[in-house]
Structures are given as C-alpha cells and as structure tokens.
C-alpha cells in the first residue's frame, strides 16, 4: 500500500468509526476499552497473516504495540458466549421456518407441543434435529425471553412470533447479532480492498440515490425490505438442505449473505 493510499485509508477511518462510536457512547464504552479492542484486533490481524508462530517483536514492529502488550494480549481469550447464543437462536428459528416436518398445512411454521404427537415432531425434536449444543428447555426459555415465541397458556404449545430473530433492545444477544452481521460484511469488504489485481472479489454492491421525496423513500424502503426478505428466505431454505446433505462429509465451510436498507429523510448532501 503506497503512501497516498495509506493516507486516504487513514482519512476514511473517521467515517468508518463514526457509527461504531455512536454505539460505543450509547453503551458506555470509553476510549480505554476501545483501545484494548483495537490492540487485540491488530494482534489477531498479524497472527492471521503471518501465522501463530510470528514473534512478539515482529508484531510490535508491524502494529506499534508495545511488546508487553503483545505478550499480555496473546494470553487473553475473548469470550464468544453472546455470539454463540444469538447464532443458536437464529439457527433454531431458521430450521423451524423451513424444515417440512415443522410446517403446517399452509406451509407456515406450526405451533409445537414439547413432545412428539400425532401432529408430528415437537419442540424438543426441533432442538435435537437442529444439532444445537443446548438442552431443549434452555432453548425454549431463551426464545421466550427474546419474545420470539409465544406459549399457549392452555396446552403449552409454542408458536413462532417472528420468522427472524429480533433480540430485545439492549440485550447481549442484540450486541452479538450486531457483531456477527457487521463482522461478516466488513470482512468481505476488507478482503475486496486487499485483493490483488485480477483476483476474484466477493459480491458487495449498494444502490444509492439522493434528492428523493419522503414518499419515494418510503416506496423504495418497502420494496427493498420485501425483495431482501424473499431472497434471504430462499437462501436460508437452500442452505439448510445443503447443510443436511453435507453432514456426512464432515464439511467445515461457511457461507454468509446479508442485506441492509438505509432510508434517510432530509439528509445532508454527501461530500462526494
């Protein structure tokens, strides 16, 4: 990366950090805590590119981190409990909305009893078939806590309240979902930025228009949400089928696809 490109990237960091800073302020994260996170990220970046045996001195030279910080950070193991919880709930809901055994006559997710009945498999079967490393009772309570399911007070049936996991405001699951979604998108964009000439790049596109009325923004917002939701549901259904097919292969590959919509009314002119 030449000097001009490096300077341009440094200038871009202010804009890239802007939404993260808003989230930091809202969650009470100070510059001290943020600096620790940046140090860990820089350390991991060097280890990923140069291998786990890279020396502390090499890391220090490449990142500007003090060698004492490098030694300390290398011994730290960040927790991924919140992200695992969000992923488990999302996988469970995804399976519930697509697996034929859990669909009703109208091809929508049916309400489930805890155990198998004449209607078909129950909620406990759903958890087992999704291959989650968690007890059915634990997953049931997590879904109830998030408001993703409703429980019938008469027979205890669990009814899916939404086809997508929308964690409660301020919850650790919401933070985990925020982390997973942005990390995937930023990884794809960064790999595209660093790709050599002629290398295959990830699909990463955006449609941007300005000088729109509120009515036009509302129309585009509705269209984007509808089309994106339909695409993600098709991908989810196909991915689940392929995952079941590949289970015997002990495959370890990952795939992520997402969508975002950002309608802004009365926006300031972009400096472009």
């Amino acid at each position: 990366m030449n000097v001009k490109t490096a300077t341009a990237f440094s200038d871009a960091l202010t804009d890239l950090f802007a939404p993260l800073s808003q989230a930091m302020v809202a969650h009470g994260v100070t510059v001290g805590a943020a600096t620790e996170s940046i140090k860990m990220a820089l350390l991991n970046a060097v280890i990923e590119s140069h291998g786990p045996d890279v020396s502390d001195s090499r890391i220090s030279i490449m990142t500007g981190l003090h060698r004492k910080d490098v030694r300390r950070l290398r011994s730290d193991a960040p927790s991924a409990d919140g992200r695992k919880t969000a992923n488990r709930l999302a996988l469970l809901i995804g399976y519930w909305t697509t697996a034929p055994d859990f669909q009703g006559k109208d091809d929508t997710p049916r309400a489930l009893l805890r155990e198998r009945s004449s209607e078909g498999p129950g909620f406990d079967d759903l958890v087992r078939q999704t291959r989650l490393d968690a007890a059915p009772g634990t997953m049931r309570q997590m879904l109830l806590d998030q408001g993703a399911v409703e429980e019938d007070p008469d027979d205890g049936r669990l009814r899916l309240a939404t086809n997508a996991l929308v964690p409660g405001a301020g919850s650790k699951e919401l933070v985990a979902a925020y982390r997973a979604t942005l990390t995937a998108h930023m990884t794809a964009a960064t790999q595209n930025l660093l790709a050599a000439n002629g290398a295959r790049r990830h699909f990463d596109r955006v449609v941007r228009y300005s000088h729109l009325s509120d009515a036009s923004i509302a129309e585009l917002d509705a269209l984007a949400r509808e089309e994106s939701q339909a695409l993600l549901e098709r991908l989810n259904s196909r991915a689940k089928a392929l995952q079941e097919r590949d289970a015997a292969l002990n495959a370890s590959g990952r795939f992520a696809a997402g969508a975002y919509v950002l309608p802004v009314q009365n926006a300031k002119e972009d400096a472009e």
Side-chain angles (χ1 to χ4, degrees):
M1 184 177 291
N2 59 42
V3 175
K4 289 184 178 180
T5 303
T7 300
F9 185 76
S10 295
D11 292 342
L13 283 178
T14 300
D15 289 340
L16 294 173
F17 280 138
L20 289 176
S21 297
Q22 291 175 352
M24 286 166 53
V25 171
H27 285 80
V29 177
T30 64
V31 68
T35 299
E36 282 296 293
S37 296
I38 293 174
K39 288 179 179 179
M40 179 63 80
L42 289 169
L43 169 70
N44 290 336
V46 176
I47 292 175
E48 183 176 343
S49 61
H50 288 75
D53 296 328
V54 61
S55 69
D56 291 353
S57 296
R58 182 72 179 276
I59 294 174
S60 178
I61 292 172
M62 295 185 68
T63 64
L65 294 172
H66 194 283
R67 277 183 292 179
K68 288 200 311 184
D69 279 335
V70 174
R71 288 194 295 271
R72 174 178 59 82
L73 292 167
R74 291 187 96 159
S75 66
D76 289 345
S79 172
D81 290 343
R83 180 166 51 178
K84 287 182 179 179
T85 297
N87 288 344
R88 284 171 178 166
L89 295 179
L91 286 171
L92 187 66
I93 291 174
Y95 197 92
W96 193 346
T97 60
T98 58
D101 285 346
F102 300 94
Q103 306 304 297
K105 295 181 180 180
D106 55 354
D107 293 326
T108 59
R110 60 182 176 82
L112 303 177
L113 294 167
R114 286 294 301 271
E115 302 291 342
R116 177 182 287 272
S117 67
S118 59
E119 300 173 2
F123 180 79
D124 289 2
D125 299 299
L126 170 67
V127 176
R128 286 189 286 268
Q129 289 184 31
T130 313
R131 300 185 181 91
L132 300 175
D133 185 21
T138 300
M139 297 306 300
R140 168 183 167 276
Q141 191 59 52
M142 286 181 177
L143 289 172
L144 287 170
D145 291 344
Q146 291 300 317
V149 298
E150 299 169 348
E151 185 172 21
D152 191 304
D154 297 325
D155 58 16
R157 291 176 190 269
L158 295 175
R159 179 173 290 99
L160 190 61
T162 175
N163 286 353
L165 177 62
V166 182
S171 68
K172 65 180 182 180
E173 288 79 18
L174 183 61
V175 173
Y178 176 86
R179 171 184 180 180
T181 300
L182 289 188
T183 298
H185 191 181
M186 284 291 290
T187 298
T190 299
Q191 290 178 359
N192 285 346
L193 177 69
L194 302 179
N197 290 335
R200 184 175 184 271
R201 285 172 164 78
H202 303 296
F203 185 89
D204 189 16
R205 304 286 188 273
V206 63
V207 174
R208 298 181 62 183
Y209 276 85
S210 59
H211 305 290
L212 294 168
S213 67
D214 290 353
S216 296
I217 292 173
E219 179 182 339
L220 291 172
D221 184 27
L223 177 62
R225 288 172 180 267
E226 180 181 352
E227 295 290 339
S228 297
Q229 182 66 26
L231 171 61
L232 293 176
E233 288 180 2
R234 290 198 302 273
L235 284 172
N236 180 67
S237 179
R238 182 55 181 161
K240 189 60 186 176
L242 291 173
Q243 183 185 64
E244 292 177 349
R245 187 197 68 182
D246 295 345
L249 304 176
N250 197 28
S252 60
R254 295 183 178 181
F255 173 84
Y260 71 90
V261 181
L262 182 63
V264 182
Q265 298 178 350
N266 302 318
K268 296 180 180 179
E269 290 295 326
D270 292 333
E272 297 181 349

